[in-house]
């Protein structure tokens, strides 16, 4: 059985394909073990740690991720993997475990950075006023 899911964080979008296999996790056709920085790799593999590593040995996960920076991409991949595992196994217990640990494992984060406006250096900040 093949399951397609996606995850989003800021401008990063991850599309995951979960299929029966022998535990390979590839991100943009690269093994997850080669992903740097290490913090991002640990974040991406969080769903397996919560579910138990025995689940990882039964599935192959291929992920295409684009947009954003490494932190946003890590969060998007994490959501895509968690959703894919829940859908692939159709496991309500696993879904509840993810929800109890962190809701963002199953739900996209819709927050976006606010766009810059005129009259200042950023979205809300204004240039200082000078009287002399």
């Amino acid at each position: 059985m093949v399951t397609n899911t996606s995850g989003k964080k800021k401008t990063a979008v991850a599309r995951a394909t979960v299929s029966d296999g022998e535990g390979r996790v590839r991100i943009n056709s690269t093994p997850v073990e080669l992903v740097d920085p290490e913090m991002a790799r640990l974040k991406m593999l969080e769903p397996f740690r919560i579910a138990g590593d025995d689940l990882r040995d039964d599935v192959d996960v291929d992920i295409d991720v684009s947009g954003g920076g490494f932190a946003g991409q890590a969060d998007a991949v994490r959501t895509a993997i968690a959703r894919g595992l829940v859908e692939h196994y159709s496991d309500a217990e696993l879904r509840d475990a993810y929800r109890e640990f962190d809701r963002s494992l199953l739900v996209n984060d819709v927050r976006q950075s606010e766009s810059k406006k005129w009259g200042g250096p950023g979205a809300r900040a204004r240039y200082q006023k000078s009287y002399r």
Side-chain angles (χ1 to χ4, degrees):
M1 188 175 112
V2 176
T3 306
N4 292 314
T5 55
S6 67
K8 291 183 180 181
K9 169 76 175 190
K10 292 187 176 179
T11 56
V13 180
R15 291 174 189 86
T17 304
V18 180
S19 56
D20 295 322
E22 55 264 3
R24 277 188 295 247
V25 179
R26 300 179 147 268
I27 294 163
N28 292 338
S29 301
T30 306
V32 72
E33 287 77 21
L34 301 178
V35 171
D36 261 353
E38 186 185 3
M39 224 39 228
R41 182 182 336 119
L42 294 173
K43 192 133 191 133
M44 290 174 184
L45 294 175
E46 225 169 44
F48 292 114
R49 234 174 292 117
I50 296 164
D53 285 329
D54 55 321
L55 252 71
R56 181 177 175 176
D57 298 335
D58 300 336
V59 293
D60 283 348
V61 184
D62 289 315
I63 301 151
D64 291 319
V65 62
S66 61
F70 69 89
Q73 285 188 353
D75 277 334
V77 166
R78 169 182 186 245
T79 301
I81 290 174
R83 282 180 171 179
L85 290 175
V86 168
E87 200 173 312
H88 186 77
Y89 288 109
S90 303
D91 191 353
E93 260 182 52
L94 184 60
R95 187 180 66 237
D96 294 339
Y98 284 152
R99 195 173 287 148
E100 188 179 317
F101 180 79
D102 186 3
R103 188 170 179 266
S104 68
L105 278 164
L106 299 174
V107 180
N108 288 332
D109 191 346
V110 296
R111 292 177 295 176
Q112 295 279 337
S113 63
E114 192 174 344
S115 60
K116 180 196 177 299
K117 281 86 170 185
W118 54 270
R124 299 285 174 101
R126 301 293 103 195
Y127 294 125
Q128 285 189 347
K129 185 173 178 183
S130 170
Y131 287 101
R132 292 179 194 35

